[in-house]
C-alpha cells in the first residue's frame, strides 16, 4: 500500500467512525504534511481519493470539509420504480420531466429494444431530486407497440403504476448493468456534480412475463448520493 493510500484509509476511517463529522474541516494541507510526515503531492493524492469516494469536498483556497457519508441505499436485485424506492426515505423527492416524445431510435437503442431504426419509440428524460437536490438523470426508451400512449402525468408520477394499473402489463424482471463512466454534457447540465467528473450509470433492460423486452433505461447517478446493495448467497455444491 502506498503512503497516500494509507493516509486516505486513516482519514476515511475517522469519518466512518464519526471521529470526524459532517461539516468538520480537515487540517490544512500544510498541517497534514506535518501530521503524516508526507510531501504536499502525497497529501493531495490522499485528499483526491477522499473527494472521489465522497468523504470530503474541497474548494480552491479553502480547507476540506467532511461530507455526509450516509448515502441513499438502492437495491440492485429488485425492479422498483423511483416512487417505490423513495418511500423508504424521509427525504422529500420530486421528478422533473425534461423531454417526452416519440423518436426514431439509433442503432444501439433499436438493438436494445429489438425494433427497427424505422420504428418509433418513446424517449423520456427525467431529473430526480432528493430534498430539491438533483441526484439522478433517467432516460427511458419504450416500445410503442407495448406502450402506445404515454401521458405526461404518468411520467411525472410513476411509469410502473401506469403500466400495471392502466395498461395492465405484467412486468417480470430486469437485467441491470452498473458501470462508472466519465460525466458527459447532459450530466454536467442537469446534475450538480460539484468536483466529481464521474457518474454511476445503471442500465436496465426490462421484460414482460412473456420474456419480451419493452423498456431500456439509463439512470445516471451522482456518485456522492448513493450506494448499491445486494445480498449474495453461496450456492451449495453437491
Amino acid at each position: 500500500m502506498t503512503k497516500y493510500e494509507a493516509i486516505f484509509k486513516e482519514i476515511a476511517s475517522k469519518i466512518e467512525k464519526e471521529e470526524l463529522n459532517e461539516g468538520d474541516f480537515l487540517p490544512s494541507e500544510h498541517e497534514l504534511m506535518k501530521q503524516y510526515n508526507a510531501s504536499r503531492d502525497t497529501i493531495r493524492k490522499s485528499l483526491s481519493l477522499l473527494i472521489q469516494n465522497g468523504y470530503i469536498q474541497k474548494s480552491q483556497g479553502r480547507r476540506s470539509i467532511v461530507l455526509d457519508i450516509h448515502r441513499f441505499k438502492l437495491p440492485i436485485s429488485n425492479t422498483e420504480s423511483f416512487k417505490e424506492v423513495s418511500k423508504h426515505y424521509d427525504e422529500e423527492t420530486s421528478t422533473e420531466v425534461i423531454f417526452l416524445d416519440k423518436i426514431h431510435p439509433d442503432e444501439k437503442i433499436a438493438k436494445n429494444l429489438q425494433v427497427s431504426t424505422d420504428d418509433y419509440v418513446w424517449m423520456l428524460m427525467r431529473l430526480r431530486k432528493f430534498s430539491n437536490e438533483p441526484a439522478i438523470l433517467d432516460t427511458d426508451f419504450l416500445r410503442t407497440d407495448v406502450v402506445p400512449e404515454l401521458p405526461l402525468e404518468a411520467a411525472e408520477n410513476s411509469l410502473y403504476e401506469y403500466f400495471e394499473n392502466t395498461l395492465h402489463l405484467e412486468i417480470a424482471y430486469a437485467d441491470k448493468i452498473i458501470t462508472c463512466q466519465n460525466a458527459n454534457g447532459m450530466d454536467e447540465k442537469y446534475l450538480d456534480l460539484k468536483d466529481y467528473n464521474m457518474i454511476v450509470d445503471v442500465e436496465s433492460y426490462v421484460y414482460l412475463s412473456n420474456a419480451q423486452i419493452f423498456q431500456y433505461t439509463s439512470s445516471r447517478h451522482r456518485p456522492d448520493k448513493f450506494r448499491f446493495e445486494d445480498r449474495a448467497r453461496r450456492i451449495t455444491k453437491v
Side-chain angles (χ1 to χ4, degrees):
M1 183 188 301
T2 63
K3 187 164 187 176
Y4 76 84
E5 288 173 325
I7 295 171
F8 156 73
K9 287 195 172 184
E10 182 174 328
I11 296 175
S13 177
K14 289 181 179 180
I15 295 172
E16 289 170 355
K17 293 177 180 177
E18 298 186 351
E19 295 173 17
L20 291 168
N21 296 300
E22 179 188 3
D24 289 346
F25 285 99
L26 295 187
S28 66
E29 288 185 2
H30 183 70
E31 291 169 331
L32 289 171
M33 288 166 60
K34 285 185 176 181
Q35 181 178 338
Y36 291 102
N37 191 25
S39 67
R40 185 178 298 275
D41 183 60
T42 295
I43 293 300
R44 286 183 173 175
K45 285 182 178 179
S46 303
L47 295 176
S48 179
L49 277 180
L50 289 165
I51 291 171
Q52 290 171 26
N53 285 274
Y55 287 99
I56 64 169
Q57 177 68 35
K58 188 173 185 296
S59 301
Q60 187 174 3
R62 297 181 60 187
R63 289 191 298 164
S64 303
I65 188 170
V66 176
L67 297 177
D68 179 11
I69 63 169
H70 302 293
R71 306 181 185 189
F72 298 108
K73 180 177 70 174
L74 291 182
I76 61 175
S77 59
N78 297 335
T79 303
E80 290 184 299
S81 68
F82 176 78
K83 184 176 181 180
E84 290 167 336
V85 170
S86 64
K87 290 179 180 177
H88 303 313
Y89 305 105
D90 294 331
E91 303 282 336
E92 180 184 352
T93 61
S94 62
T95 295
E96 175 188 346
V97 174
I98 298 170
F99 180 86
L100 173 59
D101 206 350
K102 292 179 180 178
I103 65 162
H104 288 297
D106 61 22
E107 290 185 0
K108 176 187 174 183
I109 301 302
K111 181 179 179 181
N112 289 344
L113 288 178
Q114 300 175 9
V115 297
S116 166
T117 54
D118 293 327
D119 293 328
Y120 278 102
V121 300
W122 286 107
M123 179 178 175
L124 169 63
M125 290 185 65
R126 292 175 293 178
L127 183 62
R128 314 294 203 168
K129 296 181 180 180
F130 284 79
S131 297
N132 207 35
E133 204 174 350
I136 308 172
L137 182 61
D138 277 343
T139 305
D140 297 278
F141 297 92
L142 299 136
R143 291 179 55 147
T144 55
D145 58 336
V146 178
V147 184
E149 299 296 333
L150 188 54
L152 177 62
E153 182 181 358
E156 292 174 332
N157 182 33
S158 171
L159 283 186
Y160 278 26
E161 282 186 9
Y162 174 68
F163 294 158
E164 294 174 330
N165 298 336
T166 302
L167 299 183
H168 305 293
L169 299 178
E170 294 183 13
I171 302 170
Y173 64 95
D175 293 328
K176 297 185 181 182
I177 301 173
I178 302 175
T179 56
C180 262
Q181 299 180 10
N182 290 324
N184 61 33
M186 295 296 285
D187 302 324
E188 293 171 353
K189 180 177 180 180
Y190 290 106
L191 297 174
D192 182 9
L193 294 177
K194 303 186 185 302
D195 286 341
Y196 294 98
N197 59 4
M198 302 288 291
I199 58 90
V200 179
D201 182 59
V202 180
E203 292 182 276
S204 298
Y205 300 77
V206 188
Y207 296 81
L208 300 174
S209 57
N210 63 359
Q212 178 189 31
I213 188 168
F214 82 102
Q215 179 184 16
Y216 165 73
T217 301
S218 171
S219 294
R220 301 176 73 81
H221 297 72
R222 269 178 52 173
D224 60 325
K225 286 294 183 182
F226 301 96
R227 70 180 190 269
F228 298 86
E229 293 190 358
D230 196 8
R231 173 170 293 172
R233 299 185 183 277
R234 178 170 172 77
I235 298 175
T236 303
K237 296 182 180 180
V238 180

